[in-house]
Amino acid sequence: NISMESLSRPSLFDFYGVCMTKYFTDNWDNIQNFKAGPDDIVLASYPKAGNTWVSYILDLLYFGQTSPERQGSVPLHERVPFLEIQIPGFPSGVDALNELSTFPRIIKTHLPVQFLPKSFWEQNSKIIYVARNAKDTAVSYFHFDRMNKAQPEPGNWESFLQRFMEGKMVFGSWYEHVRGWWEKKQSSSNILYLFYEDLIEDIEQELGRICSFLGLSPTTELKKQVTEKVLFDSMKTNKMVNGSTDEVFDFKISPFMRKGRVGDWKNHFTVQQDEQFNEDYEKKMKNTDLLFRTVL
Ligand code: A3P
């Protein structure tokens, strides 16, 4: 592995109309040519929507009872590889996926819908998309970019929020990402569209939706186990899932499991920022029936 000092913060550039960095585009041909398997499950989201949370839910549903050693010794980011990642000194997401020997493979991605490798559509893979309201996503992303050495410098909150509104974030515009996947879902029964706010409000209900989408019927005991293990506080203290095995994170700046709430944006947005954000939001999100809750 390379030392953290030699890992530089990447710059953002336009990549087929979406802002990206080298760490997610250097392996592009291998990503686009990725061969999906018939039982692959894709877990897609814009960054900071709760991908880690749902990936742990899926991991427990499929492997919680059969492989206890996996739970204790394999970091979640190895169990659920990140398709498009390619950071020098670490295995690429594509290689990690091709080396997985447990099935089904659960595959994390932040790609906007138009970038998902064709093979997943050809294989009719099941896809779970997780979305989170724009304001909490922006706040979570700001703190993430502060502590993640593989992300561009966030700058101050004011400038970060402006860039968020302009879509100049890694993986592009939040607005286009959530809408692109929402529109795709309208014509595809293989996509389950989840909301972070719903997971917070009623994890049992959402667990039920996930299971029926995947055709799983877990025992009452497993369901109970899953809901307990995926609580924010349980995950925060679980070294295999809380990001502490991820070498590019600096927890001295901010933890990966940070707040885990709906409405933390209120502690960051000024009244003026909120007004400006809302006005801009209405313009960008008109003509869609996709609705988010920013408070519960
Ligand atoms: P905050 O920064 O608001 O705390 P992702 O995994 O897509 O990067 O998303 C990370 C966000 O999901 C973080 O949000 C993190 O705390 C939150 N999260 C992760 N696990 C969670 C859980 N079990 N319950 C609630 N929020 C969770």
mmCIF file with all atom_site columns, all heavy atoms in Angstrom, residues 79-96:
data_model
loop_
_atom_site.group_PDB
_atom_site.id
_atom_site.type_symbol
_atom_site.label_atom_id
_atom_site.label_alt_id
_atom_site.label_comp_id
_atom_site.label_asym_id
_atom_site.label_entity_id
_atom_site.label_seq_id
_atom_site.pdbx_PDB_ins_code
_atom_site.Cartn_x
_atom_site.Cartn_y
_atom_site.Cartn_z
_atom_site.occupancy
_atom_site.B_iso_or_equiv
_atom_site.pdbx_formal_charge
_atom_site.auth_seq_id
_atom_site.auth_comp_id
_atom_site.auth_asym_id
_atom_site.auth_atom_id
_atom_site.pdbx_PDB_model_num
ATOM 1   N N   . ARG A 1 79 ? -16.416 -6.498 1.546   1.00 0.00 ? 79 ARG A N   1
ATOM 2   C CA  . ARG A 1 79 ? -17.559 -7.387 1.282   1.00 0.00 ? 79 ARG A CA  1
ATOM 3   C C   . ARG A 1 79 ? -18.424 -6.824 0.159   1.00 0.00 ? 79 ARG A C   1
ATOM 4   O O   . ARG A 1 79 ? -19.018 -7.563 -0.610  1.00 0.00 ? 79 ARG A O   1
ATOM 5   C CB  . ARG A 1 79 ? -18.434 -7.513 2.532   1.00 0.00 ? 79 ARG A CB  1
ATOM 6   C CG  . ARG A 1 79 ? -17.756 -8.124 3.723   1.00 0.00 ? 79 ARG A CG  1
ATOM 7   C CD  . ARG A 1 79 ? -18.734 -8.172 4.889   1.00 0.00 ? 79 ARG A CD  1
ATOM 8   N NE  . ARG A 1 79 ? -18.101 -7.747 6.125   1.00 0.00 ? 79 ARG A NE  1
ATOM 9   C CZ  . ARG A 1 79 ? -18.771 -7.391 7.218   1.00 0.00 ? 79 ARG A CZ  1
ATOM 10  N NH1 . ARG A 1 79 ? -20.101 -7.394 7.216   1.00 0.00 ? 79 ARG A NH1 1
ATOM 11  N NH2 . ARG A 1 79 ? -18.135 -7.031 8.301   1.00 0.00 ? 79 ARG A NH2 1
ATOM 12  N N   . VAL A 1 80 ? -18.521 -5.510 0.142   1.00 0.00 ? 80 VAL A N   1
ATOM 13  C CA  . VAL A 1 80 ? -19.354 -4.831 -0.871  1.00 0.00 ? 80 VAL A CA  1
ATOM 14  C C   . VAL A 1 80 ? -18.454 -3.896 -1.667  1.00 0.00 ? 80 VAL A C   1
ATOM 15  O O   . VAL A 1 80 ? -18.342 -2.712 -1.355  1.00 0.00 ? 80 VAL A O   1
ATOM 16  C CB  . VAL A 1 80 ? -20.497 -4.031 -0.194  1.00 0.00 ? 80 VAL A CB  1
ATOM 17  C CG1 . VAL A 1 80 ? -21.372 -3.348 -1.234  1.00 0.00 ? 80 VAL A CG1 1
ATOM 18  C CG2 . VAL A 1 80 ? -21.332 -4.938 0.706   1.00 0.00 ? 80 VAL A CG2 1
ATOM 19  N N   . PRO A 1 81 ? -17.743 -4.420 -2.680  1.00 0.00 ? 81 PRO A N   1
ATOM 20  C CA  . PRO A 1 81 ? -16.783 -3.588 -3.411  1.00 0.00 ? 81 PRO A CA  1
ATOM 21  C C   . PRO A 1 81 ? -17.458 -2.433 -4.155  1.00 0.00 ? 81 PRO A C   1
ATOM 22  O O   . PRO A 1 81 ? -18.624 -2.505 -4.536  1.00 0.00 ? 81 PRO A O   1
ATOM 23  C CB  . PRO A 1 81 ? -16.141 -4.583 -4.382  1.00 0.00 ? 81 PRO A CB  1
ATOM 24  C CG  . PRO A 1 81 ? -16.351 -5.923 -3.770  1.00 0.00 ? 81 PRO A CG  1
ATOM 25  C CD  . PRO A 1 81 ? -17.687 -5.833 -3.098  1.00 0.00 ? 81 PRO A CD  1
ATOM 26  N N   . PHE A 1 82 ? -16.649 -1.392 -4.340  1.00 0.00 ? 82 PHE A N   1
ATOM 27  C CA  . PHE A 1 82 ? -17.078 -0.127 -4.936  1.00 0.00 ? 82 PHE A CA  1
ATOM 28  C C   . PHE A 1 82 ? -16.635 -0.150 -6.395  1.00 0.00 ? 82 PHE A C   1
ATOM 29  O O   . PHE A 1 82 ? -15.458 0.028  -6.697  1.00 0.00 ? 82 PHE A O   1
ATOM 30  C CB  . PHE A 1 82 ? -16.394 0.981  -4.131  1.00 0.00 ? 82 PHE A CB  1
ATOM 31  C CG  . PHE A 1 82 ? -16.775 2.395  -4.440  1.00 0.00 ? 82 PHE A CG  1
ATOM 32  C CD1 . PHE A 1 82 ? -17.728 2.722  -5.392  1.00 0.00 ? 82 PHE A CD1 1
ATOM 33  C CD2 . PHE A 1 82 ? -16.162 3.432  -3.736  1.00 0.00 ? 82 PHE A CD2 1
ATOM 34  C CE1 . PHE A 1 82 ? -18.065 4.045  -5.641  1.00 0.00 ? 82 PHE A CE1 1
ATOM 35  C CE2 . PHE A 1 82 ? -16.492 4.761  -3.981  1.00 0.00 ? 82 PHE A CE2 1
ATOM 36  C CZ  . PHE A 1 82 ? -17.437 5.064  -4.944  1.00 0.00 ? 82 PHE A CZ  1
ATOM 37  N N   . LEU A 1 83 ? -17.580 -0.424 -7.268  1.00 0.00 ? 83 LEU A N   1
ATOM 38  C CA  . LEU A 1 83 ? -17.314 -0.701 -8.683  1.00 0.00 ? 83 LEU A CA  1
ATOM 39  C C   . LEU A 1 83 ? -16.286 0.216  -9.345  1.00 0.00 ? 83 LEU A C   1
ATOM 40  O O   . LEU A 1 83 ? -15.326 -0.242 -9.962  1.00 0.00 ? 83 LEU A O   1
ATOM 41  C CB  . LEU A 1 83 ? -18.646 -0.628 -9.463  1.00 0.00 ? 83 LEU A CB  1
ATOM 42  C CG  . LEU A 1 83 ? -18.590 -0.788 -10.981 1.00 0.00 ? 83 LEU A CG  1
ATOM 43  C CD1 . LEU A 1 83 ? -18.152 -2.189 -11.395 1.00 0.00 ? 83 LEU A CD1 1
ATOM 44  C CD2 . LEU A 1 83 ? -19.944 -0.469 -11.605 1.00 0.00 ? 83 LEU A CD2 1
ATOM 45  N N   . GLU A 1 84 ? -16.469 1.525  -9.248  1.00 0.00 ? 84 GLU A N   1
ATOM 46  C CA  . GLU A 1 84 ? -15.672 2.435  -10.076 1.00 0.00 ? 84 GLU A CA  1
ATOM 47  C C   . GLU A 1 84 ? -14.398 2.941  -9.400  1.00 0.00 ? 84 GLU A C   1
ATOM 48  O O   . GLU A 1 84 ? -13.648 3.704  -9.992  1.00 0.00 ? 84 GLU A O   1
ATOM 49  C CB  . GLU A 1 84 ? -16.527 3.619  -10.553 1.00 0.00 ? 84 GLU A CB  1
ATOM 50  C CG  . GLU A 1 84 ? -17.170 4.466  -9.471  1.00 0.00 ? 84 GLU A CG  1
ATOM 51  C CD  . GLU A 1 84 ? -18.558 3.952  -9.047  1.00 0.00 ? 84 GLU A CD  1
ATOM 52  O OE1 . GLU A 1 84 ? -18.858 2.768  -9.303  1.00 0.00 ? 84 GLU A OE1 1
ATOM 53  O OE2 . GLU A 1 84 ? -19.317 4.724  -8.438  1.00 0.00 ? 84 GLU A OE2 1
ATOM 54  N N   . ILE A 1 85 ? -14.117 2.487  -8.172  1.00 0.00 ? 85 ILE A N   1
ATOM 55  C CA  . ILE A 1 85 ? -12.958 3.063  -7.482  1.00 0.00 ? 85 ILE A CA  1
ATOM 56  C C   . ILE A 1 85 ? -11.645 2.481  -8.017  1.00 0.00 ? 85 ILE A C   1
ATOM 57  O O   . ILE A 1 85 ? -11.543 1.297  -8.332  1.00 0.00 ? 85 ILE A O   1
ATOM 58  C CB  . ILE A 1 85 ? -13.061 2.906  -5.948  1.00 0.00 ? 85 ILE A CB  1
ATOM 59  C CG1 . ILE A 1 85 ? -12.228 3.971  -5.243  1.00 0.00 ? 85 ILE A CG1 1
ATOM 60  C CG2 . ILE A 1 85 ? -12.666 1.495  -5.504  1.00 0.00 ? 85 ILE A CG2 1
ATOM 61  C CD1 . ILE A 1 85 ? -12.562 4.155  -3.779  1.00 0.00 ? 85 ILE A CD1 1
ATOM 62  N N   . GLN A 1 86 ? -10.645 3.379  -8.116  1.00 0.00 ? 86 GLN A N   1
ATOM 63  C CA  . GLN A 1 86 ? -9.310  2.981  -8.562  1.00 0.00 ? 86 GLN A CA  1
ATOM 64  C C   . GLN A 1 86 ? -8.318  3.946  -7.936  1.00 0.00 ? 86 GLN A C   1
ATOM 65  O O   . GLN A 1 86 ? -8.027  4.995  -8.490  1.00 0.00 ? 86 GLN A O   1
ATOM 66  C CB  . GLN A 1 86 ? -9.260  3.038  -10.102 1.00 0.00 ? 86 GLN A CB  1
ATOM 67  C CG  . GLN A 1 86 ? -7.887  3.083  -10.713 1.00 0.00 ? 86 GLN A CG  1
ATOM 68  C CD  . GLN A 1 86 ? -7.310  1.700  -10.932 1.00 0.00 ? 86 GLN A CD  1
ATOM 69  O OE1 . GLN A 1 86 ? -7.297  0.864  -10.030 1.00 0.00 ? 86 GLN A OE1 1
ATOM 70  N NE2 . GLN A 1 86 ? -6.832  1.445  -12.129 1.00 0.00 ? 86 GLN A NE2 1
ATOM 71  N N   . ILE A 1 87 ? -7.835  3.607  -6.758  1.00 0.00 ? 87 ILE A N   1
ATOM 72  C CA  . ILE A 1 87 ? -6.867  4.453  -6.068  1.00 0.00 ? 87 ILE A CA  1
ATOM 73  C C   . ILE A 1 87 ? -5.538  3.710  -6.061  1.00 0.00 ? 87 ILE A C   1
ATOM 74  O O   . ILE A 1 87 ? -5.494  2.545  -5.657  1.00 0.00 ? 87 ILE A O   1
ATOM 75  C CB  . ILE A 1 87 ? -7.340  4.787  -4.631  1.00 0.00 ? 87 ILE A CB  1
ATOM 76  C CG1 . ILE A 1 87 ? -8.632  5.629  -4.691  1.00 0.00 ? 87 ILE A CG1 1
ATOM 77  C CG2 . ILE A 1 87 ? -6.256  5.534  -3.844  1.00 0.00 ? 87 ILE A CG2 1
ATOM 78  C CD1 . ILE A 1 87 ? -9.162  6.075  -3.344  1.00 0.00 ? 87 ILE A CD1 1
ATOM 79  N N   . PRO A 1 88 ? -4.463  4.364  -6.536  1.00 0.00 ? 88 PRO A N   1
ATOM 80  C CA  . PRO A 1 88 ? -3.172  3.677  -6.602  1.00 0.00 ? 88 PRO A CA  1
ATOM 81  C C   . PRO A 1 88 ? -2.800  3.061  -5.254  1.00 0.00 ? 88 PRO A C   1
ATOM 82  O O   . PRO A 1 88 ? -2.951  3.701  -4.212  1.00 0.00 ? 88 PRO A O   1
ATOM 83  C CB  . PRO A 1 88 ? -2.189  4.790  -6.960  1.00 0.00 ? 88 PRO A CB  1
ATOM 84  C CG  . PRO A 1 88 ? -3.015  5.869  -7.580  1.00 0.00 ? 88 PRO A CG  1
ATOM 85  C CD  . PRO A 1 88 ? -4.386  5.768  -6.992  1.00 0.00 ? 88 PRO A CD  1
ATOM 86  N N   . GLY A 1 89 ? -2.333  1.812  -5.292  1.00 0.00 ? 89 GLY A N   1
ATOM 87  C CA  . GLY A 1 89 ? -1.934  1.148  -4.054  1.00 0.00 ? 89 GLY A CA  1
ATOM 88  C C   . GLY A 1 89 ? -3.035  0.297  -3.453  1.00 0.00 ? 89 GLY A C   1
ATOM 89  O O   . GLY A 1 89 ? -2.799  -0.461 -2.518  1.00 0.00 ? 89 GLY A O   1
ATOM 90  N N   . PHE A 1 90 ? -4.253  0.435  -3.965  1.00 0.00 ? 90 PHE A N   1
ATOM 91  C CA  . PHE A 1 90 ? -5.366  -0.378 -3.473  1.00 0.00 ? 90 PHE A CA  1
ATOM 92  C C   . PHE A 1 90 ? -5.952  -1.164 -4.647  1.00 0.00 ? 90 PHE A C   1
ATOM 93  O O   . PHE A 1 90 ? -5.878  -0.711 -5.787  1.00 0.00 ? 90 PHE A O   1
ATOM 94  C CB  . PHE A 1 90 ? -6.463  0.522  -2.870  1.00 0.00 ? 90 PHE A CB  1
ATOM 95  C CG  . PHE A 1 90 ? -6.005  1.365  -1.711  1.00 0.00 ? 90 PHE A CG  1
ATOM 96  C CD1 . PHE A 1 90 ? -5.544  2.670  -1.916  1.00 0.00 ? 90 PHE A CD1 1
ATOM 97  C CD2 . PHE A 1 90 ? -6.013  0.864  -0.418  1.00 0.00 ? 90 PHE A CD2 1
ATOM 98  C CE1 . PHE A 1 90 ? -5.111  3.458  -0.857  1.00 0.00 ? 90 PHE A CE1 1
ATOM 99  C CE2 . PHE A 1 90 ? -5.578  1.649  0.655   1.00 0.00 ? 90 PHE A CE2 1
ATOM 100 C CZ  . PHE A 1 90 ? -5.129  2.941  0.434   1.00 0.00 ? 90 PHE A CZ  1
ATOM 101 N N   . PRO A 1 91 ? -6.566  -2.339 -4.356  1.00 0.00 ? 91 PRO A N   1
ATOM 102 C CA  . PRO A 1 91 ? -7.183  -3.068 -5.468  1.00 0.00 ? 91 PRO A CA  1
ATOM 103 C C   . PRO A 1 91 ? -8.328  -2.244 -6.065  1.00 0.00 ? 91 PRO A C   1
ATOM 104 O O   . PRO A 1 91 ? -9.043  -1.554 -5.329  1.00 0.00 ? 91 PRO A O   1
ATOM 105 C CB  . PRO A 1 91 ? -7.718  -4.350 -4.814  1.00 0.00 ? 91 PRO A CB  1
ATOM 106 C CG  . PRO A 1 91 ? -7.548  -4.210 -3.345  1.00 0.00 ? 91 PRO A CG  1
ATOM 107 C CD  . PRO A 1 91 ? -6.711  -3.008 -3.063  1.00 0.00 ? 91 PRO A CD  1
ATOM 108 N N   . SER A 1 92 ? -8.469  -2.307 -7.367  1.00 0.00 ? 92 SER A N   1
ATOM 109 C CA  . SER A 1 92 ? -9.570  -1.567 -7.984  1.00 0.00 ? 92 SER A CA  1
ATOM 110 C C   . SER A 1 92 ? -10.882 -2.261 -7.649  1.00 0.00 ? 92 SER A C   1
ATOM 111 O O   . SER A 1 92 ? -10.915 -3.449 -7.324  1.00 0.00 ? 92 SER A O   1
ATOM 112 C CB  . SER A 1 92 ? -9.384  -1.520 -9.500  1.00 0.00 ? 92 SER A CB  1
ATOM 113 O OG  . SER A 1 92 ? -9.666  -2.792 -10.057 1.00 0.00 ? 92 SER A OG  1
ATOM 114 N N   . GLY A 1 93 ? -11.976 -1.537 -7.748  1.00 0.00 ? 93 GLY A N   1
ATOM 115 C CA  . GLY A 1 93 ? -13.290 -2.111 -7.492  1.00 0.00 ? 93 GLY A CA  1
ATOM 116 C C   . GLY A 1 93 ? -13.597 -3.271 -8.426  1.00 0.00 ? 93 GLY A C   1
ATOM 117 O O   . GLY A 1 93 ? -14.121 -4.304 -8.005  1.00 0.00 ? 93 GLY A O   1
ATOM 118 N N   . VAL A 1 94 ? -13.229 -3.103 -9.683  1.00 0.00 ? 94 VAL A N   1
ATOM 119 C CA  . VAL A 1 94 ? -13.504 -4.154 -10.670 1.00 0.00 ? 94 VAL A CA  1
ATOM 120 C C   . VAL A 1 94 ? -12.731 -5.430 -10.304 1.00 0.00 ? 94 VAL A C   1
ATOM 121 O O   . VAL A 1 94 ? -13.302 -6.529 -10.304 1.00 0.00 ? 94 VAL A O   1
ATOM 122 C CB  . VAL A 1 94 ? -13.136 -3.672 -12.096 1.00 0.00 ? 94 VAL A CB  1
ATOM 123 C CG1 . VAL A 1 94 ? -13.154 -4.827 -13.085 1.00 0.00 ? 94 VAL A CG1 1
ATOM 124 C CG2 . VAL A 1 94 ? -14.096 -2.570 -12.546 1.00 0.00 ? 94 VAL A CG2 1
ATOM 125 N N   . ASP A 1 95 ? -11.451 -5.289 -9.968  1.00 0.00 ? 95 ASP A N   1
ATOM 126 C CA  . ASP A 1 95 ? -10.659 -6.476 -9.584  1.00 0.00 ? 95 ASP A CA  1
ATOM 127 C C   . ASP A 1 95 ? -11.237 -7.123 -8.331  1.00 0.00 ? 95 ASP A C   1
ATOM 128 O O   . ASP A 1 95 ? -11.353 -8.353 -8.251  1.00 0.00 ? 95 ASP A O   1
ATOM 129 C CB  . ASP A 1 95 ? -9.193  -6.097 -9.329  1.00 0.00 ? 95 ASP A CB  1
ATOM 130 C CG  . ASP A 1 95 ? -8.448  -5.819 -10.637 1.00 0.00 ? 95 ASP A CG  1
ATOM 131 O OD1 . ASP A 1 95 ? -8.999  -6.154 -11.708 1.00 0.00 ? 95 ASP A OD1 1
ATOM 132 O OD2 . ASP A 1 95 ? -7.345  -5.250 -10.581 1.00 0.00 ? 95 ASP A OD2 1
ATOM 133 N N   . ALA A 1 96 ? -11.578 -6.301 -7.349  1.00 0.00 ? 96 ALA A N   1
ATOM 134 C CA  . ALA A 1 96 ? -12.136 -6.848 -6.102  1.00 0.00 ? 96 ALA A CA  1
ATOM 135 C C   . ALA A 1 96 ? -13.414 -7.627 -6.393  1.00 0.00 ? 96 ALA A C   1
ATOM 136 O O   . ALA A 1 96 ? -13.638 -8.710 -5.843  1.00 0.00 ? 96 ALA A O   1
ATOM 137 C CB  . ALA A 1 96 ? -12.405 -5.716 -5.110  1.00 0.00 ? 96 ALA A CB  1
#
